[in-house]
Amino acid sequence: MGIRERLSGNEAAATAMKQINPDVVAAFPITPSTEIPQYFSSFVSNGLVDTEFVAVESEHSAMSACIGAEAAGARAMTATSSNGLSLMWEMIYIASSLRLPIVMSLVNRAVSGPLNIHNDHSDAMGVRDSGWIQLFSETNQEAYDNLLMAHRIAEHKDVLLPLMVCQDGFITSHAIETIELLEDDKVKEFVGTYKPEHYLLNDKEPIAVGPLDLQSYLFEHKKAQAEAMRNAKKVIKEVSEDFEKLTGRHYSFFEEYKMEDSEIVIVCMNSTAGTAKYTADRLREEGIKAGVLKVRMFRPFPAEEIAEALKGQKAVAVLDKADSVNGAGGALFEDVVSGMFVNNVNVPTVNYIYGIGGRDTTETEIRRVYSDLLEIANSGKADNPYRYLGLREGGEK
Amino acid sequence: MGIRERLSGNEAAATAMKQINPDVVAAFPITPSTEIPQYFSSFVSNGLVDTEFVAVESEHSAMSACIGAEAAGARAMTATSSNGLSLMWEMIYIASSLRLPIVMSLVNRAVSGPLNIHNDHSDAMGVRDSGWIQLFSETNQEAYDNLLMAHRIAEHKDVLLPLMVCQDGFITSHAIETIELLEDDKVKEFVGTYKPEHYLLNDKEPIAVGPLDLQSYLFEHKKAQAEAMRNAKKVIKEVSEDFEKLTGRHYSFFEEYKMEDSEIVIVCMNSTAGTAKYTADRLREEGIKAGVLKVRMFRPFPAEEIAEALKGQKAVAVLDKADSVNGAGGALFEDVVSGMFVNNVNVPTVNYIYGIGGRDTTETEIRRVYSDLLEIANSGKADNPYRYLGLREGGEK
Amino acid sequence: MGIRERLSGNEAAATAMKQINPDVVAAFPITPSTEIPQYFSSFVSNGLVDTEFVAVESEHSAMSACIGAEAAGARAMTATSSNGLSLMWEMIYIASSLRLPIVMSLVNRAVSGPLNIHNDHSDAMGVRDSGWIQLFSETNQEAYDNLLMAHRIAEHKDVLLPLMVCQDGFITSHAIETIELLEDDKVKEFVGTYKPEHYLLNDKEPIAVGPLDLQSYLFEHKKAQAEAMRNAKKVIKEVSEDFEKLTGRHYSFFEEYKMEDSEIVIVCMNSTAGTAKYTADRLREEGIKAGVLKVRMFRPFPAEEIAEALKGQKAVAVLDKADSVNGAGGALFEDVVSGMFVNNVNVPTVNYIYGIGGRDTTETEIRRVYSDLLEIANSGKADNPYRYLGLREGGEK
Amino acid sequence: MGIRERLSGNEAAATAMKQINPDVVAAFPITPSTEIPQYFSSFVSNGLVDTEFVAVESEHSAMSACIGAEAAGARAMTATSSNGLSLMWEMIYIASSLRLPIVMSLVNRAVSGPLNIHNDHSDAMGVRDSGWIQLFSETNQEAYDNLLMAHRIAEHKDVLLPLMVCQDGFITSHAIETIELLEDDKVKEFVGTYKPEHYLLNDKEPIAVGPLDLQSYLFEHKKAQAEAMRNAKKVIKEVSEDFEKLTGRHYSFFEEYKMEDSEIVIVCMNSTAGTAKYTADRLREEGIKAGVLKVRMFRPFPAEEIAEALKGQKAVAVLDKADSVNGAGGALFEDVVSGMFVNNVNVPTVNYIYGIGGRDTTETEIRRVYSDLLEIANSGKADNPYRYLGLREGGEK
């Protein structure tokens, strides 16, 4: 069952794209995602896929080409990072508003400035309101698996929204892990064929895409888009269950690691979850009831489900790998606690900004968080909710 | 005291810029902010200002030119809207990370797609984590006043962050109101001269701007940036007090309208506050204790202060003029309730997405919100926190 | 022998490209050559060729992509017209200086301004010193045949220069004629495989392409380029002879139509030659010894050979379909008479600027030229060498 | 009379621009002309001129901005070199066809590739048919003087064509000479005010600029443009005579140096003329009747006048500082000998390609040309008309 291969996260993403064999890939290279279009273009050159690879002249053009392709009726994919996503921004919103189920590999990297090529989540956080579904991936395996599920989710008639699969730049994108690949034919069958209901190349139904949409209609269209985002939860659930049947690998909106009896929990995303789980295991050997809640589905945000999962904990820490620079907490933190507020879940919860610009986060830092949580659990109070983790020379505030 | 003039919001902004007489203005026209650079360039042509007007070839270049100018040691301003801001996105983050106190007039307009030129706040909300200070303006007067205070805030040595003054496209930008202008010399004295400590044209201190900033330092620099954002609160307070002394016009982080004894409160921004206050007055005639909390300072977000102000209310509605399309509430709503969560303020609070793409919001809609709040206040329960206001044909969820 | 097909000039060019099956085609659409990449991209889509079609974002990029492809070791083709060529200009010179044998279909159209989409030769004339070989084509058949010979010429080791095949926009590009196609396998065999001696993808010989080339070397490199252009004459002769063996169709540097005994001769290029030959035939019925010299190989210019061919004529008219706007004669005229000067051929010769911006040139105009030539032949004098043909309201000077 | 200053050629050009004080300057920096906009922008900054300096984002934009400005009714100037001119090419033709009297300083540099920043005339030669008047300048003084005359010529109602003043990159652009400047007020009076008859900002006469101009009209418009170029001769003569009255400095279409009794003559342009005159003087000390014909007005080309001037010489050499790579002689050579052909002047004439990419041309090379001419004069034959001068290792052909 499955093929075991040693692949970097970028190779895993490119391999998923090869097996998906999309109609169009348009991409512009940027570290650390460069390898994805690079590997993929070699698949094109070697005839391993039928894809039209559009070698665009900027990221703005990359997303524009994907939009054109999807609007025409094709399945389109791209990959980018950081400032590549920044330059796409105008088109990112257009892609989702036009309800085009484009799939992107976003290899997370700090957005400039100053210039930094390493991992944090500022790129993904910056587009979290743009109407794209966002799935995060702890490992190379998850990056691969999320991509295999992506089109089934994005293209579902109740969804029709673009989707980005995130993974941590260099940490997983360039690190090699043994992962389990599906056979090509199984991928083909699982992903299925893209059959859009409305598309420009359908000569039986001439349509316009992207016309003027003034005061009388835009609100209703945005509402329909928001409805689609809510629908995505159901579809993500179904597709993940189908995927589990096929592969035995289980995916939910989020992973609850040792939370059956946990008292203190770290909420985080992507590769940090691995370190957190490892540290939780170590702490449990010391009798500390540590748990980890790893968010996989960040958009739509499962606010209610997470609130429910955190109910009864004694203390929670939300780790944000991007600073919202707003004086009021990171993006994940706000999502979590506003969900707790709405759902009347009262657990002392603190926020840690960490790992900015590729700063390493090791067992040491994670232990420190759990240690803080123990203190909060004991006191029942979280005096300073906005914290830093891993800052040099005690720069914490 | 002061000069009374009938000016549109764009004229008010351009007039403020004329009185400020910045060193550099770089802008690219986009509806509905086009008039600002248009008026301003006529001031340049007519010799009313000394400003270098840079007629750039895109918004990406507009922000790049402002960055270059500020880095060189000049005071730079710009204006844009909607997709103009989108195309700037890459440079928006760079401006704030380089700690350059550029001042922008953002005339809020719906971000495409589909194409809509009318007002909502999706442009401003999209950059709310970018490290810019954001001041919102109910009226032409406030747009003018906020701009006069902008440089004092942005350029303060404890802040050094770019700042955008928002107003509602067409609603205030194109509507003419009588406003009170300061005399030119008073503006000059109030705003003062820009004396940067470090700048490229200082031949006594050769510096590099925007170099590589890898794992070892970016986190600390981002923390310093976040610290500056927190400092901005103090500075905004001081500058607003100085401004009040000069003009008699009072500005806080937010305006609490009839909240001394209110039981139900609407939280909103920009021009909607006017309609809300008008409606609250009507309701008070009917014996209903309605209040309005108008957020002026959206970034940094005064989470704690707002939570404090809402403490004791019976029901609160937060109005978001942009849909975060995330299944978990609008941006202002999340900020407000996460602040309430952190500060242990428990008031039933609901979110309304409204006014998207220029949809009118009148007394009728505001009355409906207060009516909902009365119901919530009576029942003590807010069953459905995520709501729409003003959707046609009952599309509410 | 051969396949008879009814094809427009653009179809003929696209068909030649299909049979050549180049490695790379990079093109940006512009009237009237748009159909060439359009037809060709459908061949790519339908798998009729193996070509990598690069959908570039401007003509500057089209030529840049061809340069990159050829430098890498691939056979690259493109097509353009008029202002498309203008935007390529910087890269046009670079292509030839780097000695990259790119082949272009140039469908001649008037260069703006003002805007005109119809035929004249101002585009081709503007790049006549750029180091490209230029072959002109009277008919669809010649456009096809010239393209089949193009790579053999351009890629010859003694040449290594880019080559453009010109034909008249709309006049031949959009007019359908019955032409004789070669069989695919014969084309394949005739054109052969591109085996560059030096190329970037040769990992056995790492090379740099396009480095700095200052005072000490550029002159020698330009001289080598000029030498290559002179060598092209020999190669064009050989390839044309080989082509004649294969097809029976004869091509020289220029066609001498009824010049065995002619006394008055019109020198011209592209489709006008057809009208001139038709008119010469009519005049011969009237006893007038009219001839036509149709230039096929415009670059390198066969100055000596044309001078020799015109020796002994009584009067010559050179027709220029582009005005050099220099007060001293059209480009073809200067080439012809400077060649006559150098080779001591003294025949009264006049210049006509004609057909600008698509102005029709019919038997009437051609008869008028021959009539002028008769007069010159009789008087032995050509008083006014710089003339117009077909100007409305007697605008001749 | 006049002010003596030590200025480089670029400083001289910038000084002329300062005294002309045009309405608009739009330029993008490129070696070796960079200093011109650099100096000029400092004049703008220091308030020495009233000019609007448009800091464009490419040379294509520089010429576009000049076109817009002139069409609006303003006097516009620019400066560029080499590939800067290449990138402008599309707009260069549009400027002249729209009959906009823009004035450019072209500091001649070799056009790439390969990359070379030094002087030859390939940039100017490439646009010699574009409808621009081209004046060449031997010295810094001439570059200055030609610019002072430029607007009077270009803006004359019988001309209305753009004009470029050429000088040799580095050789004069960066070499300092003592030149004589006019007083500012005299320049102002001499150049006069620009009063266009038709312009976009004239609200009394709404016009369109640059509309579609199809088969029925473009020919007549191009003829009018050619007529204007012919008219330029008369106007250049008049303006040069006026300039002589003012300054005592005499300018004709070309300078005939010691040609009253010369037998062998070198025809050349720009700085080489200085070396040629110096060498002619040396040779005359040896009893050799050497002369120099320095072409100042290259477009319109004074074909007839030059032919007349060369009549009676025993041998002529035309020096081209750009290779037309056409197998048939350089641009200046073709212009000269086609003019001799048309005007029945029979003097043995040879062509030398020289100085490419900044190759030095000294007395040694010029002596060699005169020596060749002596030989031709003696034999009465010029066997090989196409020659090289200064090629290393006997690469002459």
Side-chain angles (χ1 to χ4, degrees), chain D residues 21-217:
Chain D
N21 193 4
D23 300 308
V24 172
V25 167
F28 194 86
I30 182 168
T31 300
S33 61
T34 300
E35 290 178 332
I36 297 178
Q38 193 176 334
Y39 286 125
F40 190 79
S41 63
S42 77
F43 300 150
V44 175
S45 302
N46 296 332
L48 301 179
V49 290
D50 307 319
T51 307
E52 177 76 22
F53 186 87
V54 189
V56 290
E57 299 176 23
S58 75
E59 284 93 352
H60 196 283
S61 296
M63 187 46 59
S64 299
C66 286
I67 288 171
E70 282 278 348
R75 188 178 264 165
M77 300 184 81
T78 190
T80 196
S81 294
S82 180
N83 285 42
L85 186 68
S86 303
L87 197 53
M88 279 184 188
W89 202 44
E90 182 176 21
M91 306 318 291
I92 283 287
Y93 276 72
I94 290 174
S96 60
S97 303
L98 296 182
R99 310 291 301 279
L100 299 170
I102 297 159
V103 172
M104 174 196 289
S105 270
L106 181 67
V107 181
N108 299 117
R109 167 185 148 187
V111 166
S112 296
L115 181 58
N116 179 299
I117 59 165
H118 292 282
N119 171 250
D120 66 31
H121 298 163
S122 48
D123 49 8
M125 293 300 108
V127 294
R128 71 186 188 277
D129 290 357
S130 65
W132 283 61
I133 297 168
Q134 294 185 311
L135 301 182
F136 279 70
S137 319
E138 180 189 331
T139 61
N140 304 9
Q141 181 74 59
E142 292 185 17
Y144 172 78
D145 290 350
N146 278 329
L147 277 171
L148 295 193
M149 288 178 259
H151 291 93
R152 286 273 302 270
I153 298 164
E155 296 169 0
H156 191 286
K157 73 178 171 45
D158 297 339
V159 177
L160 290 175
L161 286 174
L163 183 155
M164 59 181 75
V165 172
C166 300
Q167 62 168 300
D168 281 344
F170 292 113
I171 300 176
T172 61
S173 73
H174 283 64
I176 292 173
E177 279 191 330
T178 300
I179 72 170
E180 195 169 286
L181 302 177
L182 249 67
E183 292 82 356
D184 288 359
D185 56 341
K186 286 191 180 162
V187 171
K188 192 174 174 181
E189 193 187 12
F190 180 78
V191 175
T193 312
Y194 179 42
K195 291 189 181 123
E197 195 178 343
H198 307 286
Y199 56 102
L200 287 168
L201 293 184
N202 180 0
D203 56 11
K204 291 183 186 61
E205 183 201 44
I207 56 168
V209 169
L212 207 60
D213 191 19
L214 297 183
Q215 301 102 316
S216 309
Y217 292 100

Side-chain angles (χ1 to χ4, degrees), chain D residues 208-355:
Chain D
V209 169
L212 207 60
D213 191 19
L214 297 183
Q215 301 102 316
S216 309
Y217 292 100
L218 185 63
F219 195 179
E220 283 69 32
H221 293 149
K222 278 284 169 191
K223 191 261 179 183
Q225 188 182 344
E227 194 69 41
M229 185 60 88
R230 286 184 286 266
N231 292 342
K233 289 173 67 169
K234 166 187 63 101
V235 175
I236 289 169
K237 192 165 179 297
E238 289 167 8
V239 172
S240 302
E241 286 165 0
D242 279 4
F243 189 78
E244 185 172 3
K245 280 177 206 149
L246 185 65
T247 63
R249 293 195 289 278
H250 175 74
Y251 290 100
S252 305
F253 297 163
F254 46 87
E255 179 185 351
E256 295 169 83
Y257 187 77
K258 308 222 166 148
M259 284 179 62
E260 314 79 30
D261 65 343
S262 64
E263 297 179 342
I264 53 174
V265 168
I266 284 177
V267 180
C268 63
M269 300 199 291
N270 271 6
S271 66
T272 305
T275 314
K277 289 190 273 186
Y278 172 87
T279 308
D281 286 347
R282 296 292 78 72
L283 290 172
R284 283 192 168 256
E285 292 166 3
E286 302 165 19
I288 296 167
K289 293 190 169 170
V292 177
L293 191 157
K294 177 181 81 181
V295 179
R296 173 198 175 215
M297 179 183 84
F298 180 59
R299 287 294 179 267
F301 189 72
E304 187 176 353
E305 294 82 352
I306 288 178
E308 183 64 27
L310 295 175
K311 195 188 291 180
Q313 301 296 325
K314 292 191 174 162
V316 171
V318 180
L319 272 54
D320 266 291
K321 210 167 187 174
D323 193 339
S324 290
V325 197
N326 61 358
L332 181 58
F333 176 73
E334 284 210 44
D335 285 342
V336 169
V337 300
S338 68
M340 291 163 82
F341 179 90
V342 159
N343 292 286
N344 300 307
V345 173
N346 269 294
V347 177
T349 303
V350 291
N351 187 203
Y352 292 85
I353 304 296
Y354 81 106

